[in-house]
Amino acid sequence: MVQSTQFGSYCTVSEYESTVNTLSLNVNVQATEQLMLNAGVTYNKAEDEWNWDFADRPTLVFTGATTITGTANPGYDTEVQNNLIDTYSDLSYEQYEFTAGGTYNFSEAFYTSASFTYDIFDMQEEYVYGDEDGTAYYGYVGFGYNF
Amino acid sequence: MKQRYLWLLALLSVLTLMTTSTLAIAGETMTSGHVEIGISGMDTDDSPARVNEYVNTRSENGLSLAPSLSLESFTEGSSIGLDADIMGPRDQKIGLEFDASRIFKFGFDYQALEHWKDHDNLQHMGATFRGDVAGNQPRVTSDATVGQLGTDTIAEANARYALEMDNDYIVTRRETEAETSLTLPALPNITFHAGMRIETRDGIEQATTASKCSQCHVQANAKSIAERTEDFTLGATGKFGKLTVEYDYLTRDFTENGANANYNYLKAGSVRAGVLDSDQFIYWGAQDYKVTPDSGKDTHSIKARYDASCGSTLSAAYVNSEVESDKAGELGSYSLDTNSLTSEYESFFLKGATKIGGLRLSVRGGTYEIDGPEYYITLPDRDDFTTVEIQTFANPEHVESAESREVTEFGIDGVYRLAKGTTLRLGYEYEDVDRVEEALGETETHTFKVAVKSRLNKQLSGRLSYKYQDIDDPFHGEDVTGIAQVTGATDPLYPGLAWFLKENAQFVDDNPASGAVYYWNSVYPGRELDATSEPDSVHEAKFSATWAPSSSMAATVFTRVRMEENESVKYKQDTFVPGVSFYYAPSSSMNLTMAYTFNKQETENQMCVGWYHG
């Protein structure tokens, strides 16, 4: 029996598209002579998508002393499996940050300040790190003295 | 706190006391600032890894003491400033500045910040290997001594996977910087300066590796991080009439004291063409991985600038730097003919600028050379395979660093005043990168730039620019992908498919090795296409315009468009970034700011996947 083997490659152009939107709004208000207020909103939206399409491959040709034609193990490299690869690179998330705070002057020297921030991270695709949805609350209150 | 910090804090305390007392004695002192005491709190739901990625106040839910102090004090010719902002245990900034009659200046900064690191769940590694005979993929463990395919049960592997997924990968970065300068009244044209910077990184990161054939057997472990970088600088600046000369010396020491991640690399048991697969590996068994070597760096730099009376300037800079890192091979895998790898950088640049009528002209050029590591590597397991005639590897093998290169740069810029408030800028840059490793090629880049900047009236101004780059032989890998894509047979039914059909070739067990087809003697040498993500032509345009009808309102619109491509590898990337910002103050007690940016990027690149023997 004539011995032979076959090997090669499949090449195609892959496409990757990424979009990011970033919006921020901030306002500062001197509400009264003693009270200064501020507030802000930040919004991010990011989406990434990778497209890499495979065709299935012809049957490998193997002829050897102890084998017959077409005994390639198809378990590792099927078209269906290869077309799963790009789905793990799909990225989609939105991020919101709301902040509000203020300073109240009891006198020229003494004052108090406080702030509160609410963050949201919302994923629509798990990407490669799994589900990373989360929310966070940050607060601060303090008393100060100007000199 | 490390013992090494104590001397620094002691010095700071003494200096602060000295400063305060000196200022009080010297004359009337003006002091202002504020002191604040507060409580900060943080609470998270679900995953904190992204929403609190750069840790705000603290990484764990709870309350923290949050004091802050700001102090500025001035007296005759001297000043001291102190800013401390403590928001949590690892969200801290401290700054101190001291100026004693411009004779002695001292600056100190300290900051601490925590960062949640990436934690890959490795699920994507199993995308093409779900049919593995021993069970579900990936196989992940946090135990360095086990994780052997065949000795783990599926339940054990899953338990270790769950254990690793519970790790919180957080690294705390602390940076301490201090700078001093001394200008003696007896030597007023020379200023001596010295500085230090200590950066530490502590925590754990995810370390990932894989055994034998590709990503079937993926392992991830926690890697301890205990890095310390110490920089010390010493130098002087002298002003001699129109000539200014500066010399600086930097010495850097980097150490990593964290325990290395370790994995028991799998030993393949199959026999092909009469040869054990395990004999084809250059390493297997228990090995450290993701090892960061200790390293050191010494840099000398000299800068000179001459300011001519006609508004012309001439400046020159020389830099010599040497980096040495510990690397002596790895027991059981390979050895080197050296105990350290060294890399030397040397550069010399000149720049001149002058004004000729309405034209402002600047010319710059220079060259730098990187002499990277060059060594011989010995792989003992290659010698076990010498009876097979297809063995063509040199052992030991000579290795030349891809960093080694000679680079020549030249640039010329001209700014011409077209009319009142309007200028035209034209520029050209040339760069030649000649790499010592010939296979990586010599890259030549020509860059052409044009820009118009105008203030049309008191309310409206703008800038428009365009840049074109022509790049000859960009950095790329030659014949690194696309098996059989040039000289192989192609399939008309499946565009993109190509293969070699080799007669009298063998791939099965118990055959003599002669004529056997392996990855290295047939498959890898069969790659016929180049690959790179570097373009050979680039177009980039930028536009911005600002409208400010009054001091209480301003609006800016801007956009950036960049198109780059390399047809030889079917690479193309387009980037589009428009945006707008707006400021409005309807009254003296209220102001609003708004900003929006959109970023869109589309990339195309040819990718190939090989196929052989399943």
Side-chain angles (χ1 to χ4, degrees), chain B residues 144-400:
Chain B
T145 60
V146 290
Q148 283 274 20
L149 189 65
T151 58
D152 275 4
T153 65
I154 297 298
E156 287 170 342
N158 289 340
R160 294 189 183 97
Y161 178 80
L163 191 66
E164 197 276 337
M165 286 300 296
D166 282 342
N167 287 341
D168 288 338
Y169 293 121
I170 302 175
V171 171
T172 302
R173 178 181 179 273
R174 295 179 176 87
E175 186 179 60
T176 307
E177 285 185 279
E179 292 183 348
T180 62
S181 68
L182 181 66
T183 308
L184 299 172
L187 210 57
N189 57 335
I190 297 179
T191 299
F192 300 94
H193 36 85
M196 57 151 277
R197 185 181 76 91
I198 297 173
E199 177 187 359
T200 62
R201 293 179 71 247
D202 296 283
I204 55 171
E205 288 180 345
Q206 186 183 38
T208 306
T209 188
S211 268
K212 55 174 193 173
C213 49
S214 193
Q215 267 64 47
C216 258
H217 316 286
V218 183
Q219 297 286 320
N221 297 298
K223 154 110 173 107
S224 172
I225 303 295
E227 297 176 356
R228 183 179 178 89
T229 305
E230 293 183 357
D231 288 356
F232 291 93
T233 57
L234 189 66
T237 303
K239 293 183 179 178
F240 311 99
K242 295 175 181 176
L243 178 67
T244 303
V245 180
E246 180 177 337
Y247 167 77
D248 283 295
Y249 170 68
L250 162 75
T251 181
R252 171 174 296 165
D253 186 40
F254 171 84
T255 54
E256 163 62 284
N257 298 310
N260 293 322
N262 188 276
Y263 172 55
N264 197 0
Y265 286 87
L266 307 180
K267 182 178 182 178
S270 298
V271 177
R272 299 176 205 278
V275 178
L276 270 170
D277 272 359
S278 57
D279 287 339
Q280 302 163 30
F281 290 158
I282 59 173
Y283 61 87
W284 47 268
Q287 301 281 342
D288 286 349
Y289 70 98
K290 202 178 182 183
V291 178
T292 308
D294 292 350
S295 61
K297 179 179 182 179
D298 290 284
T299 300
H300 301 268
S301 64
I302 302 173
K303 299 174 188 171
R305 177 187 167 106
Y306 183 80
D307 294 288
S309 55
C310 57
S312 300
T313 61
L314 181 66
S315 55
Y318 170 80
V319 177
N320 181 285
S321 186
E322 185 169 317
V323 179
E324 183 174 329
S325 60
D326 297 344
K327 193 69 178 174
E330 292 180 13
L331 189 64
S333 297
Y334 66 91
S335 60
L336 305 180
D337 63 339
T338 178
N339 289 325
S340 63
L341 303 181
T342 59
S343 181
E344 186 175 356
Y345 170 91
E346 189 171 39
S347 71
F348 180 70
F349 281 88
L350 270 174
K351 183 180 180 182
T354 190
K355 192 173 183 181
I356 307 168
L359 177 66
R360 182 78 190 169
L361 192 66
S362 70
V363 181
R364 60 193 178 281
T367 180
Y368 70 86
E369 181 179 357
I370 299 174
D371 187 9
E374 182 185 1
Y375 53 91
Y376 283 87
I377 180 171
T378 301
L379 300 155
D381 282 359
R382 282 185 175 179
D383 290 334
D384 296 339
F385 205 42
T386 52
T387 55
V388 181
E389 60 189 70
I390 58 171
Q391 160 72 298
T392 58
F393 295 113
N395 197 25
E397 184 170 352
H398 181 245
V399 177
E400 183 78 62

Side-chain angles (χ1 to χ4, degrees), chain B residues 86-87 92 296 351 387 469 532 570 599:
Chain B
I86 312 295
M87 287 302 290
Q92 304 176 350
K351 183 180 180 182
T387 55
Q469 286 185 303
T532 184
K570 299 183 180 178
N599 188 321

Side-chain angles (χ1 to χ4, degrees), chain B residues 393-464:
Chain B
F393 295 113
N395 197 25
E397 184 170 352
H398 181 245
V399 177
E400 183 78 62
S401 171
E403 285 184 354
S404 297
R405 66 193 63 186
E406 288 182 13
V407 179
T408 305
E409 294 178 0
F410 169 79
I412 182 168
D413 272 306
V415 182
Y416 184 71
R417 186 169 178 259
L418 295 173
K420 186 181 179 183
T422 302
T423 57
L424 170 68
R425 177 186 290 268
L426 296 172
Y428 168 75
E429 292 173 3
Y430 169 81
E431 183 193 57
D432 178 72
V433 181
D434 187 6
R435 299 176 182 87
V436 173
E437 178 57 66
E438 291 182 358
L440 300 175
E442 180 176 351
T443 304
E444 200 174 68
T445 305
H446 301 271
T447 304
F448 304 89
K449 296 184 289 186
V450 58
V452 175
K453 184 178 179 182
S454 181
R455 177 174 290 278
L456 297 176
N457 53 47
K458 289 183 178 178
Q459 296 183 356
L460 191 61
S461 62
R463 186 177 192 276
L464 179 64

